Amino acid sequence: MEAGLRTENRRAALVEAGLEAFGTVGFAKSSIKDICGLAGLTQRYFYESFKKKEDLLSAVYGQVVNGVLETGWANVEKPAKTPAQAVTRTLRTYYQDLLDDPRKARILYFEILGVSGRIDQEYQAATKRLVDLIAHALSRAFPALSAEQLQRTIVPTGLAGAVNLIAANWALDSYATPLEDILLQVQALAQLLDGFLKTSPEGVPA
Amino acid sequence: MEAGLRTENRRAALVEAGLEAFGTVGFAKSSIKDICGLAGLTQRYFYESFKKKEDLLSAVYGQVVNGVLETGWANVEKPAKTPAQAVTRTLRTYYQDLLDDPRKARILYFEILGVSGRIDQEYQAATKRLVDLIAHALSRAFPALSAEQLQRTIVPTGLAGAVNLIAANWALDSYATPLEDILLQVQALAQLLDGFLKTSPEGVPA
DNA sequence: CTATTGTGACATTTTCTCTTGTCAAATGCA
DNA sequence: TGCATTTGACAAGAGAAAATGTCACAATAG
């Protein structure tokens, strides 16, 4: 095997080990040594691919964020019978991702915060991407809402916060509430909004 | 001055120094030595009042949380002419608190997360208190919504997430958007909800 | 086969930070 | 005033983790 390729493999192993360490023990309590142990590598290989622990967190976070947002976008484009169905389905896959791998939830909602200014910026950028996805999902599910109009309001940001806090509380609660219960409530709200928009064609004010 | 009282004063100085350190440099990057320096005390006095840095964070967080929730409750009880006005006024004081002291915002939304299991529990408890406040505010502003009904839904949790993420983004953005712009949008949404509830006396389904 | 490069295990250095201890000066109290 | 307690400044040990270095061995290419 080529050297460059093996370097890549080691890097990938470190990212996977980082996901495990940060997602279970936590960022603060994981040492570089621990992570290398999980990856089955010695410490020097850490410095082969990363300068410091924070850089690994950045790589892990980027991978997780890309994963959930990709499944989100893949879902939002699919046609749906009703707006409520579209909203529910998108949210289901998003939450299902976190349910399948609680380490991702922990990194997305907890470990990423308060580490450094640079990481805060990455968090902010990722939040913005989620807000964009939500704005797009809303404008698709509810054609009465224009995407441009949504972009200028705080509504998608607020909804992103709602989605995130519900997910974070759900994770802190060890996923006690069945996912379907949460989705049923969301579905009811979406149906309400749908009915409301149909009786108020003037839409939502900016 | 009595000894016990001076001990109290030193403790208060440490909490204030903790607010400054955690709220600007951050929890991870603040050493006990730094904090004592800010407080104008030597390290031994840290151990007089706290066992470890985490305990100081807990004290600082508790003070900040109590402060914002108290102003929130004080406001929510006041009578208002319209529901939209009630919502806007409560939110204004809540956000104004954070605008006046950005260190509080940083601690509330960033520094508190991912520190330890114990701190996570305190965060969860504080979130629950905010959710309760919001549920109460909603049931007061919109009598059509019963408090008991609200408690069983994810709506207040979602709204708490919305309030928090909007605040967190706002803080990360160095409060670029004028507070009044945000409040105007919230007011518009509240008016919409008010109008909707008046045409749908059956209320929101559980 | 042999020289070069990559690898793995381990040692070492360095840098922090926590935590406890010492002691003289200051302060409060009888 | 004289005694006891409190205080402030600093020292120093303990421990952990980061970051770098060494070296024998394995793998591979020519």
Side-chain angles (χ1 to χ4, degrees):
Chain A
M1 208 194 302
E2 202 196 330
L5 186 59
R6 271 173 299 183
T7 302
E8 277 305 304
N9 285 343
R10 281 195 293 267
R11 192 195 141 96
L14 282 169
V15 172
E16 172 58 32
L19 173 61
E20 175 65 22
F22 301 154
T24 56
V25 181
F27 178 76
K29 294 214 170 76
S30 299
S31 73
I32 290 177
K33 198 177 174 181
D34 295 341
I35 294 161
C36 291
L38 284 173
L41 297 169
T42 45
Q43 284 176 270
R44 47 175 286 190
Y45 292 111
F46 181 87
Y47 300 99
E48 178 186 56
S49 292
F50 305 99
K51 234 173 119 10
K52 39 187 180 170
K53 207 171 54 160
E54 190 185 308
D55 297 339
L56 176 60
L57 176 63
S58 174
V60 172
Y61 183 62
Q63 199 178 73
V64 173
V65 166
N66 285 338
V68 296
L69 286 179
E70 267 166 30
T71 59
W73 276 106
N75 240 279
V76 89
E77 297 294 356
K78 287 188 196 158
K81 280 180 189 162
T82 67
Q85 200 187 59
V87 167
T88 311
R89 195 198 49 217
T90 303
L91 215 52
R92 176 181 283 114
T93 53
Y94 186 79
Y95 282 164
Q96 188 68 50
D97 242 6
L98 306 179
L99 186 60
D100 290 341
D101 192 346
R103 303 173 305 176
K104 292 186 186 175
R106 175 147 181 190
I107 287 169
L108 280 178
Y109 301 124
F110 298 99
E111 297 303 325
I112 196 65
L113 294 166
V115 172
S116 78
R118 207 195 86 212
I119 299 282
D120 282 353
Q121 282 179 1
E122 293 181 21
Y123 166 76
Q124 198 178 11
T127 301
K128 193 172 171 347
R129 288 171 68 193
L130 177 63
V131 169
D132 289 343
L133 170 59
I134 286 178
H136 189 257
L138 279 181
S139 67
R140 261 191 76 95
F142 306 101
L145 309 170
S146 81
E148 299 76 43
Q149 199 182 29
L150 281 170
Q151 295 289 5
R152 282 183 287 106
T153 70
I154 58 169
V155 171
T157 302
L159 278 178
V163 167
N164 280 351
L165 189 67
I166 289 168
N169 273 356
W170 189 44
L172 276 177
D173 215 27
S174 304
Y175 305 97
T177 309
L179 176 55
E180 293 307 318
D181 288 5
I182 295 175
L183 293 174
L184 276 176
Q185 294 186 29
V186 172
Q187 196 169 26
L189 290 174
Q191 276 164 358
L192 275 177
L193 177 60
D194 191 36
F196 176 61
L197 288 173
K198 278 178 182 145
T199 61
S200 310
E202 72 277 7
V204 177
Chain B
M1 210 197 303
E2 202 195 332
L5 186 60
R6 271 174 300 183
T7 302
E8 277 306 303
N9 286 344
R10 281 196 293 267
R11 192 195 140 96
L14 284 168
V15 172
E16 172 58 33
L19 173 61
E20 174 65 22
F22 301 154
T24 55
V25 181
F27 178 77
K29 294 216 170 77
S30 300
S31 73
I32 290 177
K33 198 176 173 181
D34 296 340
I35 295 162
C36 291
L38 283 173
L41 296 170
T42 43
Q43 288 176 267
R44 46 176 286 192
Y45 292 112
F46 181 87
Y47 299 99
E48 180 186 56
S49 293
F50 305 99
K51 236 173 116 14
K52 39 186 180 170
K53 205 171 56 162
E54 191 185 309
D55 297 340
L56 176 60
L57 176 63
S58 174
V60 172
Y61 183 63
Q63 198 178 75
V64 173
V65 166
N66 285 337
V68 295
L69 287 178
E70 267 166 31
T71 60
W73 277 106
N75 241 278
V76 88
E77 298 294 357
K78 287 188 195 158
K81 280 180 189 162
T82 66
Q85 200 187 57
V87 167
T88 310
R89 195 199 47 218
T90 304
L91 215 51
R92 175 180 285 113
T93 53
Y94 185 80
Y95 282 163
Q96 189 68 49
D97 243 5
L98 305 180
L99 186 60
D100 290 340
D101 192 346
R103 302 173 306 176
K104 291 185 186 176
R106 173 145 183 193
I107 287 169
L108 279 177
Y109 301 125
F110 298 100
E111 297 303 324
I112 196 64
L113 294 167
V115 172
S116 77
R118 206 194 88 211
I119 299 282
D120 283 353
Q121 282 179 1
E122 293 182 21
Y123 165 76
Q124 200 178 10
T127 300
K128 196 177 168 341
R129 288 171 68 192
L130 177 63
V131 170
D132 288 344
L133 170 60
I134 286 177
H136 188 257
L138 279 181
S139 66
R140 261 191 76 95
F142 306 102
L145 308 170
S146 81
E148 300 76 42
Q149 198 183 30
L150 280 171
Q151 295 289 5
R152 282 182 286 105
T153 70
I154 58 169
V155 171
T157 302
L159 278 178
V163 168
N164 280 350
L165 189 67
I166 288 168
N169 273 356
W170 190 44
L172 276 177
D173 215 27
S174 304
Y175 305 96
T177 309
L179 176 55
E180 293 306 319
D181 289 4
I182 295 174
L183 292 174
L184 276 176
Q185 294 186 31
V186 172
Q187 195 169 25
L189 290 175
Q191 277 165 357
L192 275 178
L193 177 59
D194 191 36
F196 177 58
L197 287 173
K198 279 179 182 144
T199 60
S200 313
E202 71 278 7
V204 177

